[in-house]
Amino acid sequence: MYVSDLALTDFRSYREALLSLDPGITAFVGPNGQGKTNLVESLGYLSTFSSHRVASDAALVRHGAARGIIQAKVMRDGRASVLELELVAGKANRARLNRAPLPRTRELLGILRTVVFAPEDLSLVKGDPDGRRRFLDELLVLLSPKLAGVRSDYERVVRQRNALLKSAAGARKSGASGDLRTLDVWDEKAAKAGAELIAARVRVLHGLRPHIESAYERVSSQQSVASVIYRASVQQVMSPERAELDGASQEEGESTLTNADLVEAQLLEAMSRLRPKEIERGVSLVGPHRDELELRLGELPAKGYASHGESWSLALALRLASYELLKADDWDADGEPVLILDDVFAELDTRRRRRLSEVVANAQQVLITSAVAEDVPEELDGARVDVMDSVITRVR
Ligand SMILES: Nc1ncnc2c1ncn2[C@@H]1O[C@H](COP(=O)(O)OP(=O)(O)OP(=O)(O)O)[C@@H](O)[C@H]1O
Ligand SMILES: [Mg+2]
């Protein structure tokens, strides 16, 4: 798959931009602040509805404008799809496919598949669990777009359940008993959507695991083996002694998590055990929103232990593994993803640059941004676009 045309209206720094793209490698090289990242970010956003740079969409709409539009023509197996997303600050996005409005915006997900490599990836390894959960969830939606519904259902249920827990806590403080029966209903909803999400995440992880191991081996010069473990909060509530288990036993316990019915029952049981605590705290304490994707190098967790270089190798390995898994296409959706390398070469040493270039050189479409031409490895030199303006046919 590749993007043949991109049009932006009031997106980031662009009032209007039109851009034609070819398959193969394109490198945008130009001074800082020119808008290189803005261009590729728009495609990443069209693919996952999230930006690799900001958590809130507000910054994506051009300052002073009410809404921004991203349009892209995506070619797959000789067929074109035109994707359009309208971003309205503070409101829900609107989507069109081949000019027809989509009843649900999320129906656009999965049509354009991208894997974005960026300096921000380092926080996948060093940052909070939240980023790792998002990594897994975005990948799972690209692999199986229908799961976008499960993910958003679950997030909505947790928000509503939290509100209810808070009001139950307030009611209890003022002497009333709170509406516990309504809470039962929300427990059931949370357990059902939560179990589906956990099962899907673990299936993705099973697919991803061998690729992470081999990608890490390729990019790092170290001997240690990279591994990943899904630590489910539900298992920790049900059997706290699990926390002490070694990596292999953790992985063993993980396979039971792909049985959604079983997990649903466990989640219900865990919620009932935690109820007094949850009401006291006013938040949902168990479920996929509290799970951790633990990254390990050898015997040690990467977070807090890995060196800077090791962390970079691992972050790269996660992205490369995503690319390999998406390429393998034995899931619901298919199509080799577009690779986006936003300013990554500046962060990497020669060895990692070379390794990354090797993979990239064979991909169907690769979009690279770099402030310095010398940072783009020689292997990818032929496709350098020195002046951005030469590819943007119209910019205002
Ligand atoms: N919502 C917005 N409205 C207007 N301008 C914006 C908006 N968001 C970002 N910008 C501007 O876009 C520019 C940044 O563009 P971008 O990050 O794409 O640059 P870049 O070419 O990737 O630079 P670098 O080489 O430093 O990575 C900044 O000047 C910033 O002020
Ligand atoms: Mg940039």
Side-chain angles (χ1 to χ4, degrees), residues 32-33 35-38 53 342-343 369-370:
N32 297 130
K36 305 179 295 294
T37 297
N38 294 348
R53 287 202 287 188
D342 183 22
D343 237 334
T369 77
S370 176

Side-chain angles (χ1 to χ4, degrees), residues 10-14 30-41 53 57-64 342-343 369-372 388:
D10 291 330
F11 181 84
R12 288 281 196 188
S13 54
Y14 296 101
N32 297 130
Q34 193 188 31
K36 305 179 295 294
T37 297
N38 294 348
L39 280 181
V40 293
E41 180 186 35
R53 287 202 287 188
D57 294 354
L60 302 179
V61 176
R62 192 174 62 86
H63 184 69
D342 183 22
D343 237 334
T369 77
S370 176
V372 185
M388 264 181 69

Side-chain angles (χ1 to χ4, degrees), residues 151-166 186 282 284 289:
R151 186 186 175 202
S152 60
D153 281 353
Y154 182 72
E155 283 168 1
R156 186 177 43 84
V157 169
V158 168
R159 272 198 306 277
Q160 285 174 331
R161 191 172 180 274
N162 285 348
L164 201 64
L165 285 166
K166 278 201 187 78
W186 287 100
S284 301
H289 67 292

Side-chain angles (χ1 to χ4, degrees), residues 135-202:
F135 163 77
L136 210 48
D137 287 346
E138 282 173 6
L139 183 59
L140 100 95
V141 169
L142 285 178
L143 287 163
S144 185
K146 63 176 191 287
L147 289 170
V150 175
R151 186 186 175 202
S152 60
D153 281 353
Y154 182 72
E155 283 168 1
R156 186 177 43 84
V157 169
V158 168
R159 272 198 306 277
Q160 285 174 331
R161 191 172 180 274
N162 285 348
L164 201 64
L165 285 166
K166 278 201 187 78
S167 77
R172 213 169 58 160
K173 274 188 200 119
S174 63
S177 65
D179 195 352
L180 296 180
R181 263 213 313 274
T182 323
L183 199 51
D184 286 342
V185 176
W186 287 100
D187 283 7
E188 281 163 25
K189 290 185 196 214
K192 187 158 184 10
E196 254 190 276
L197 186 57
I198 291 175
R201 280 182 183 173
V202 174

Side-chain angles (χ1 to χ4, degrees), residues 41-42 61 98-99 118 139 220 268 322 348:
E41 180 186 35
S42 71
V61 176
N98 300 323
R99 318 251 173 246
L139 183 59
S220 87
L268 275 175
S322 307
L348 304 176

Side-chain angles (χ1 to χ4, degrees), residues 22 77 126 285 295 348:
D22 292 318
D77 305 327
K126 296 191 172 200
L285 294 173
L295 307 173
L348 304 176

